[in-house]
Amino acid sequence: MTTYYIDPSQAVNGSGTLESPFNAWPTIASNNTYLQKCDTTAYGQLNLGTGLTNVTLSSYGVGSKPIVSCRNTTPIVFTASAQPNISQFTVNTGKGGANITENGNPMDFVAWSTDLATTAALMYPGSFTNQRIDNSTSTLYVYPSSGTVADHQYYTSVNYLTANGSGATNWVISGLRFEYSQDGGIYA
């Protein structure tokens, strides 16, 4: 069993040792331990593969739990929609965007109804909805908590799940914080 170290704050990708950590999560393999440095944030989805066994995902060092985030690192720029107070953005992520933050705070989700006018009537300041167009595109609509969308900074998820795999057995996940996944977070 090998232990690999991940420190996303490193500019150069290392070999995964404590002295030379990876700067991003590697592909996960059976019978290994993966430790992310405390007080760091890694962006992107962890690929847990299929049928992996005896894997530990945890942290090392001192400080707050490290974060594995599916948040897009590029802010969303919304445009006006046909409804007052509502702005829109088209997402091409394959699963739509079911998670939006406004100035770092999660927005409330309002389920899509018959059409935009009907759904907009259900929305309120600090809420959002999404309309799935097809399997690869959705349109997101936000109702800013105050003012206009130009007064705030918005981010959406870029991955459906924070950690994705199937048939996993004998896994230990501790000491990590997962955030901004579009759905359940971990599928194993």
Side-chain angles (χ1 to χ4, degrees):
M1 184 169 219
T2 303
T3 298
Y4 294 102
Y5 295 86
I6 299 102
D7 181 356
S9 68
Q10 295 296 308
V12 177
N13 196 26
S15 60
T17 64
L18 182 59
E19 298 78 23
S20 179
F22 293 128
N23 64 0
W25 279 82
T27 300
I28 308 297
S30 290
N31 302 311
N32 290 319
T33 296
Y34 300 86
L35 305 176
Q36 183 177 324
K37 187 174 183 180
C38 289
D39 288 330
T40 63
T41 301
Y43 292 95
Q45 182 180 46
L46 301 184
N47 185 354
L48 305 182
T50 302
L52 300 181
T53 61
N54 302 316
V55 174
T56 298
L57 307 179
S58 194
S59 60
Y60 74 97
V62 178
S64 60
K65 289 181 181 179
I67 298 168
V68 177
S69 177
C70 280
R71 187 190 87 179
N72 194 333
T73 56
T74 304
I76 299 172
V77 178
F78 286 93
T79 58
S81 75
Q83 296 297 314
N85 302 317
I86 308 294
S87 295
Q88 70 184 49
F89 177 77
T90 300
V91 180
N92 297 307
T93 62
K95 297 294 182 180
N99 180 312
I100 298 178
T101 59
E102 178 184 58
N103 295 338
N105 300 308
M107 298 188 78
D108 293 339
F109 176 73
V110 173
W112 183 261
S113 193
T114 312
D115 54 31
L116 178 57
T118 305
T119 306
L122 303 172
M123 294 175 71
Y124 49 88
S127 67
F128 79 98
T129 191
N130 64 353
Q131 175 191 21
R132 174 83 47 93
I133 297 170
D134 55 37
N135 283 336
S136 64
T137 308
S138 289
T139 300
L140 307 178
Y141 297 92
V142 299
Y143 192 138
S145 60
S146 62
T148 67
V149 292
D151 301 327
H152 306 280
Q153 194 166 53
Y154 298 89
Y155 290 92
T156 187
S157 319
V158 291
N159 295 103
Y160 188 54
L161 299 164
T162 308
N164 189 18
S166 63
T169 58
N170 296 328
W171 282 65
V172 175
I173 300 175
S174 68
L176 293 173
R177 190 173 114 199
F178 294 97
E179 66 177 22
Y180 299 117
S181 61
Q182 292 182 5
D183 239 5
I186 299 174
Y187 173 74

